[in-house]
Amino acid sequence: MAEPRPRVWVAQPLFDDIVARLHAHFDVVQVPAVVEHDAAAVADALREADGALVTLNERVGEAEIAGAPRLRAVANLGVGYNNLDVAALHARGIVATNTPDVLTETTADFGFALMMAAARRVTEAERHLRAGRWQGWNFKGLLGADLHGSTLGILGMGRIGQGIARRAAGFDMRVLYHNRSRLPADVERACNARYVDFDALFAQADHLVLVLPYSAASHHIVDAAALARMQPTATLTNIARGGIVDEAALADALAHGRLASAALDVFEGEPAVDPRLLALDNVVLTPHIASGSLATRRAMVALAVDNLIAALGAGPDAGRPPTPIAPAGRDAKRPGTA
Ligand code: GLV
């Protein structure tokens, strides 16, 4: 009798023409609609699965892994993978993969767009106009802050942070960064970026962008004390993970004029957004779309599909998925970040 084909769970609707490549190798269970899967639903789906293609909406933790005896590979759609318990996956010999590189430039574009929107009050101005409050050209109305000639601070200088730094050259910005490890001199030169310590970054940035991975170490690293170091004229942009920022402290700083404005693409309790942030005019809010260009989202799915096929021992790269997640402490290839 022929060996049964491996079973694969695809947790969200993706691009059918790309996902179709999985059908050549596996029996595929594809979730047809966008769903917030709770732990029980993930456990249920993984119980009989050999592989899974998941998004940030699916948390694959210790319990789900323990209940999935056949699981051999989890391909995550995203460069960040805080939704996976990578240590528990690796302890079981399960391959975990993510989608770096293909989203770097698109995400850096969006970080820049959000930073500009916060500095120049773009969404606030649009709400003003749409609400019929525009009574004629107002010379002193809705004045913002310049990007050109200002100081950009980048917390987390991985691929996306470096992409933002490269864009800043066109705006004649001075670029400061802080990272777990300092970058080699040639990379600093290419990004025209200067390493400073955490406190100096917060104190000196006119526009601060967060692009670091989320972990226990970065949880609420932007807290009331860090925010208090920032200039009241500064902006803060977060395209990393919501849990990096203490949102209550941020709402407080924005409400009391201790920070000019913020732009947030990520939230601690996604898809819920703190009502205090929703009520503020000086914060730009977007629903976690930084990598969301059509071309990039397609490239992410293609890479995740390649990863899953290879990790399950099929296809031309059998056993060699293109972008595996390294065991903790072994990510020497690229220091640190998205
Ligand atoms: C999105 O947030 C990602 O990590 O790719």
Side-chain angles (χ1 to χ4, degrees):
M1 211 169 75
E3 282 275 296
R5 300 195 333 152
R7 281 198 202 179
V8 158
W9 182 50
V10 178
Q12 299 286 335
L14 301 169
F15 298 104
D16 290 347
D17 59 318
I18 306 172
V19 172
R21 289 202 276 120
L22 292 173
H23 293 268
H25 306 280
F26 314 124
D27 287 342
V28 179
V29 176
Q30 160 94 60
V31 176
V34 176
V35 182
E36 275 286 313
H37 289 107
D38 61 16
V42 173
D44 220 35
L46 294 184
R47 192 161 296 125
E48 305 273 293
D50 298 276
L53 203 165
V54 300
T55 70
L56 309 179
N57 282 348
E58 289 77 41
R59 161 117 194 106
V60 182
E62 218 169 339
E64 294 76 34
I65 295 162
R70 291 164 49 164
L71 195 61
R72 288 186 283 132
V74 177
N76 196 48
L77 270 164
V79 65
Y81 47 81
N82 53 294
N83 53 317
L84 307 182
D85 186 333
V86 174
L89 288 166
H90 285 156
R92 261 272 308 281
I94 299 167
V95 177
T97 65
N98 66 340
T99 59
D101 300 321
V102 291
L103 49 63
T104 298
E105 301 302 329
T106 296
T107 306
D109 280 353
F110 195 73
F112 225 88
L114 279 188
M115 176 170 60
M116 294 190 78
R120 295 299 306 274
R121 305 172 64 176
V122 172
T123 54
E124 180 186 354
E126 190 190 1
R127 282 194 299 277
H128 177 82
L129 180 150
R130 284 180 186 272
R133 294 201 302 268
W134 189 27
Q135 301 296 322
W137 192 54
N138 177 355
F139 193 72
K140 288 172 70 181
L142 289 161
L143 300 181
D146 282 322
L147 250 68
H148 72 267
S150 68
T151 297
L152 168 63
I154 301 175
L155 183 61
M157 197 63 154
R159 290 155 285 203
I160 297 169
Q162 291 171 36
I164 291 171
R166 285 195 306 274
R167 282 158 178 76
F171 285 72
D172 204 16
M173 296 172 92
R174 179 169 82 114
V175 181
L176 306 177
Y177 79 96
H178 183 76
N179 197 46
R180 272 194 307 219
S181 39
R182 187 170 174 173
L183 299 178
D186 59 323
V187 181
E188 283 190 352
R189 261 195 310 279
C191 296
N192 195 25
R194 189 158 68 81
Y195 180 84
V196 292
D197 69 29
F198 182 89
D199 288 358
L201 186 77
F202 278 71
Q204 291 181 39
D206 294 310
H207 305 288
L208 179 60
V209 184
L210 310 177
V211 211
L212 68 165
Y214 181 60
S215 66
S218 64
H219 177 74
H220 285 193
I221 197 169
V222 182
D223 57 6
L227 291 166
R229 284 185 202 104
M230 294 183 72
Q231 307 173 60
T233 48
T235 74
L236 176 74
T237 295
N238 187 6
I239 56 168
R241 285 291 180 271
I244 288 167
V245 176
D246 178 341
E247 287 174 354
L250 176 63
D252 236 39
L254 289 166
H256 295 104
R258 296 197 297 274
L259 189 66
S261 57
L264 308 174
D265 187 48
V266 286
F267 305 89
E268 189 159 13
E270 287 177 23
V273 177
D274 187 322
R276 280 164 299 181
L277 292 172
L278 287 170
L280 286 167
D281 247 336
N282 55 344
V283 54
V284 178
L285 304 168
T286 52
H288 204 147
I289 57 169
S291 66
S293 74
L294 177 61
T296 289
R297 286 282 161 89
R298 285 183 62 82
M300 290 166 69
V301 175
L303 178 54
V305 163
D306 285 345
N307 273 322
L308 195 54
I309 292 173
L312 288 174
D317 296 322
R320 287 179 289 114
T323 52
I325 297 169
R330 293 238 310 267
D331 195 11
K333 193 168 66 146
R334 295 188 179 100
T337 54

